[in-house]
Amino acid sequence: NKPAHAGNTYTNIFRDKNFILITAESFDTYAINETLTPNLYNLKQNYAYFDNYYSPLYYRSTADTEFLVQTSTYPDKNVTLSMSAYIGNEFPNTMPKLFEQRGYSTFSFHNYTDYFYPRSTFHRETLGYDLYYGSEEFGMLDNPPEGAIINNHVWQSDLEMMEKAVPLFINEDKFFVNMLTVSGHFRYNSSHEIAQKHEAEVLQYEADTGIELDEQVFWYLAAQIELDLAIGYLIDQLEENDLMDDTVIMIFG
């Protein structure tokens, strides 16, 4: 019931724009590199960059941050997993519901299974997205049987997810898209399937700069290259469809 802040030159500049919100798994400013991640570097250098950004660390850091962002409700630290604990609750003002009220089609995408968190149900039924695609719906990786124990998680490609997701929303009149990436997930070593794809680029970076990276840093950067390629593909597709000027992209770790 409080009055809105006074208007300024930024007021309403995003009105009626498409919105793509990207939660990037384990992404940190250290991964923004002119050579290795040029798309992310370009965004940091030439667009709005929030350097005073802080994220609370909850028991389930990814899922609870996701819960907070989507519902504007602080998770309870006494609850092991808010996404499961409150899956039957009514949240009338979630991100997708607010956009839907304004005539947007809403989409949520993630390139991993429901092994850790019940996103297939939570995103569709609790948050209210028109469409949710996880790795199983994308045909990338099937959900494991209930009660299965997995010790070796095969992280999926952010670029592949982007290639599969873009055609699902690009032709909508107005869209709100939520994306949660996974390629940058730890552990950072030579067995990381996504990082293996980009070993050569990081080796060349070491050779060109004369920097010998710590092993975990080496594989961390290699994994984050896949996110950069996904962002590059997204921007290319928006430009090809004349949507770049009508779309806001926000990325946070």
Side-chain angles (χ1 to χ4, degrees), residues 2 7-8 32 42 56 96 98 118 136 153 191 207 227 229 232:
K2 294 185 178 183
N8 56 46
I32 303 177
N42 174 56
L98 291 172
E136 184 169 66
H153 296 279
S191 64
L227 169 65
L229 293 174

Side-chain angles (χ1 to χ4, degrees), residues 82-103:
S82 53
M83 192 179 290
S84 293
Y86 307 128
I87 201 165
N89 286 32
E90 292 290 334
F91 294 96
N93 295 313
T94 65
M95 291 279 282
K97 290 178 183 177
L98 291 172
F99 273 93
E100 189 175 46
Q101 292 169 14
R102 290 158 176 79

Side-chain angles (χ1 to χ4, degrees), residues 33-105:
N33 181 285
E34 185 174 8
T35 301
L36 296 175
T37 53
N39 295 300
L40 292 163
Y41 181 83
N42 174 56
L43 293 178
K44 179 184 175 183
Q45 294 298 312
N46 297 306
Y47 297 90
Y49 176 71
F50 298 87
D51 53 0
N52 291 310
Y53 170 80
Y54 303 93
S55 178
L57 181 59
Y58 289 102
Y59 180 72
R60 301 291 184 103
S61 55
T62 304
D64 285 343
T65 299
E66 189 177 350
F67 175 86
L68 186 157
V69 169
Q70 297 292 329
T71 66
S72 294
T73 304
Y74 284 105
D76 185 344
K77 280 200 170 186
N78 295 311
V79 173
T80 303
L81 176 56
S82 53
M83 192 179 290
S84 293
Y86 307 128
I87 201 165
N89 286 32
E90 292 290 334
F91 294 96
N93 295 313
T94 65
M95 291 279 282
K97 290 178 183 177
L98 291 172
F99 273 93
E100 189 175 46
Q101 292 169 14
R102 290 158 176 79
Y104 285 72
S105 298

Side-chain angles (χ1 to χ4, degrees), residues 22 38 56 64 83 88 104 112 128 147 172 174 202 230:
I22 300 175
D64 285 343
M83 192 179 290
Y104 285 72
Y112 204 63
E172 296 291 328
K174 291 198 298 184
V202 185

Side-chain angles (χ1 to χ4, degrees), residues 1-231:
N1 294 322
K2 294 185 178 183
H5 63 77
N8 56 46
T9 56
Y10 294 101
T11 302
N12 295 328
I13 62 170
F14 293 154
R15 183 183 292 278
D16 293 326
K17 303 282 188 184
N18 302 307
F19 185 37
I20 301 174
L21 177 65
I22 300 175
T23 308
E25 172 64 50
S26 300
F27 176 66
D28 191 84
T29 53
Y30 191 77
I32 303 177
N33 181 285
E34 185 174 8
T35 301
L36 296 175
T37 53
N39 295 300
L40 292 163
Y41 181 83
N42 174 56
L43 293 178
K44 179 184 175 183
Q45 294 298 312
N46 297 306
Y47 297 90
Y49 176 71
F50 298 87
D51 53 0
N52 291 310
Y53 170 80
Y54 303 93
S55 178
L57 181 59
Y58 289 102
Y59 180 72
R60 301 291 184 103
S61 55
T62 304
D64 285 343
T65 299
E66 189 177 350
F67 175 86
L68 186 157
V69 169
Q70 297 292 329
T71 66
S72 294
T73 304
Y74 284 105
D76 185 344
K77 280 200 170 186
N78 295 311
V79 173
T80 303
L81 176 56
S82 53
M83 192 179 290
S84 293
Y86 307 128
I87 201 165
N89 286 32
E90 292 290 334
F91 294 96
N93 295 313
T94 65
M95 291 279 282
K97 290 178 183 177
L98 291 172
F99 273 93
E100 189 175 46
Q101 292 169 14
R102 290 158 176 79
Y104 285 72
S105 298
T106 61
F107 304 84
S108 187
F109 303 116
H110 179 44
N111 47 337
Y112 204 63
T113 69
D114 279 4
Y115 178 77
F116 293 105
Y117 312 123
R119 288 192 175 96
S120 294
T121 301
F122 186 77
H123 281 245
R124 290 190 187 103
E125 299 178 13
T126 309
L127 297 178
Y129 279 97
D130 294 332
L131 183 74
Y132 172 79
Y133 267 44
S135 64
E136 184 169 66
E137 289 83 357
F138 277 128
M140 299 170 72
L141 188 66
D142 290 339
N143 281 321
E146 188 173 347
I149 303 296
I150 299 176
N151 295 316
N152 182 29
H153 296 279
V154 181
W155 307 125
Q156 301 299 294
S157 164
D158 293 344
L159 176 59
E160 183 182 353
M161 175 181 68
M162 193 68 75
E163 291 170 343
K164 291 175 180 291
V166 168
L168 296 173
F169 66 81
I170 199 74
N171 294 317
E172 296 291 328
D173 290 336
K174 291 198 298 184
F175 53 80
F176 164 51
V177 175
N178 176 69
M179 287 188 171
L180 176 64
T181 69
V182 80
S183 290
H185 204 295
F186 86 115
R187 302 185 184 274
Y188 306 116
N189 54 41
S190 58
S191 64
H192 193 298
E193 294 83 359
I194 298 298
Q196 288 172 1
K197 295 170 56 178
H198 305 295
E199 179 180 7
E201 292 101 303
V202 185
L203 284 171
Q204 188 63 52
Y205 175 75
E206 285 187 319
D208 292 342
T209 60
I211 297 172
E212 185 176 348
L213 297 167
D214 173 85
E215 182 182 8
Q216 289 191 65
V217 173
F218 180 100
W219 293 110
Y220 172 77
L221 292 174
Q224 296 295 340
I225 290 174
E226 193 78 359
L227 169 65
D228 189 73
L229 293 174
I231 299 300

